[in-house]
Amino acid sequence: MSSIATSVQTAGRAVGSKTTPGPILLMGPPGAGKGTQAKELIKLWGVPQISTGDLLRANVAQGTPLGRIAKEIIGRGELVPDTLVNDMVAVRLLKPDTINGYILDGFPRTIGQADWLDDRLAAQPEALPVVAVSIKVNYNQLLRRITGRRNCPVCHTIYNVYVNPPKVEGFCDIEGAALIQRDDDTEVVFKERMRAYEALTAPVMEHYRALGRFAEVDGDRPIDKIAAEIVVAVERLRR
Ligand code: AMP
């Protein structure tokens, strides 16, 4: 059995036997691996990933009114206004698959969003509060991950031209589809996204740290090791 399966099963029993995981917030700068880790954790807990970036990009692709507003903002690396994002998340949280918990990937990203979510959960007597885990990765590594990131438009597998290239350059190993690069995965937009992160999202970490519901893990390690560390952190924070 792989180390991830072992450690995740051990910690999964501990978390799963006592309670459901509840709302888990994965935090970290662009390129920290929040989406990758969310996918590891949903295998364990069977709860959905709620990625506001993915939801916004779906709105952009569908040309909804929200998508038309978000497109320009995302392209500049800035944040979409809180009220629009909160309303979008409110709709997503109504789905029954969120009953045992969910993995928040990229939300809340501002203090306003965090206050909105905390108040909403506090108003539901049966709901657990958010626990936040931040994935820490150094700046140069983040830049390499972001500018090297390529996605398969069919199966959504994520590659990296530097560290995890496809077998045939530019094409998905599984689907054979031409890989695409997100418009905001350029160095210029990355720098703006980092600025937004430092100014608006870093205070969200301090918010959950002050509430005693925050942990940090080293994201410059193999995917399975990071996932196992997140599981242990969540178990400790839920105790
Ligand atoms: P991500 O896929 O999480 O890197 O998000 C891509 C972009 O979507 C961000 O740079 C923002 O422009 C926008 N976005 C995603 N989540 C949020 C959020 N919670 N609040 C505001 N803007 C967001």
Side-chain angles (χ1 to χ4, degrees):
M1 190 183 288
S2 71
S3 60
I4 176 85
T6 315
S7 45
V8 147
Q9 276 191 0
T10 313
R13 267 200 306 278
V15 172
S17 61
K18 270 197 304 224
T19 178
T20 54
I24 312 286
L25 165 57
L26 287 184
M27 302 195 71
K34 301 183 293 292
T36 302
Q37 288 302 323
K39 289 191 172 51
E40 292 295 317
L41 298 170
I42 58 182
K43 284 187 226 157
L44 162 66
W45 286 316
V47 297
Q49 169 192 13
I50 301 182
S51 158
T52 42
D54 285 350
L55 291 174
L56 288 167
R57 280 186 289 278
N59 274 275
V60 171
Q62 288 157 18
T64 66
L66 169 62
R68 285 199 289 275
I69 297 170
K71 189 176 193 302
E72 305 290 314
I73 299 172
I74 295 173
R76 290 197 299 268
E78 295 169 8
L79 295 189
V80 176
D82 286 354
T83 48
L84 299 179
V85 179
N86 292 349
D87 288 351
M88 179 181 76
V89 171
V91 171
R92 178 62 186 87
L93 291 179
L94 292 176
K95 287 202 185 170
D97 64 349
T98 58
I99 188 96
N100 291 327
Y102 37 91
I103 299 171
L104 292 164
D105 163 6
F107 178 92
R109 234 175 171 108
T110 65
I111 289 290
Q113 293 175 11
D115 285 342
W116 174 85
L117 182 65
D118 291 352
D119 289 350
R120 187 188 158 95
L121 294 171
Q124 299 166 0
E126 75 288 1
L128 291 169
V130 167
V131 293
V133 182
S134 174
I135 307 170
K136 215 174 148 182
V137 177
N138 78 50
Y139 185 92
N140 289 336
Q141 179 80 339
L142 292 171
L143 181 61
R144 224 166 115 86
R145 288 190 191 185
I146 287 288
T147 55
R149 181 157 68 182
R150 302 289 184 276
N151 306 297
C152 172
V154 181
C155 67
H156 306 292
T157 298
I158 300 170
Y159 297 88
N160 185 289
V161 297
Y162 305 116
V163 293
N164 175 31
K167 293 193 182 82
V168 178
E169 191 185 329
F171 294 93
C172 178
D173 293 349
I174 302 159
E175 297 291 339
L179 298 177
I180 51 173
Q181 182 175 26
R182 271 170 52 174
D183 292 344
D184 58 344
D185 275 352
T186 61
E187 184 165 353
V188 172
V189 182
F190 167 75
K191 287 186 173 153
E192 189 48 51
R193 288 161 73 194
M194 278 303 283
R195 256 194 292 278
Y197 177 77
E198 298 292 351
L200 300 167
T201 309
V204 177
M205 287 196 269
E206 296 315 316
H207 169 82
Y208 287 112
R209 197 197 299 273
L211 292 170
R213 292 195 256 114
F214 177 80
E216 203 159 44
V217 299
D218 176 4
D220 199 1
R221 292 155 24 135
I223 291 170
D224 58 345
K225 297 278 187 302
I226 303 167
E229 216 189 308
I230 294 173
V231 168
V232 170
V234 168
E235 182 194 355
R236 181 169 51 77
L237 293 171
R238 281 279 179 238
R239 223 175 264 147

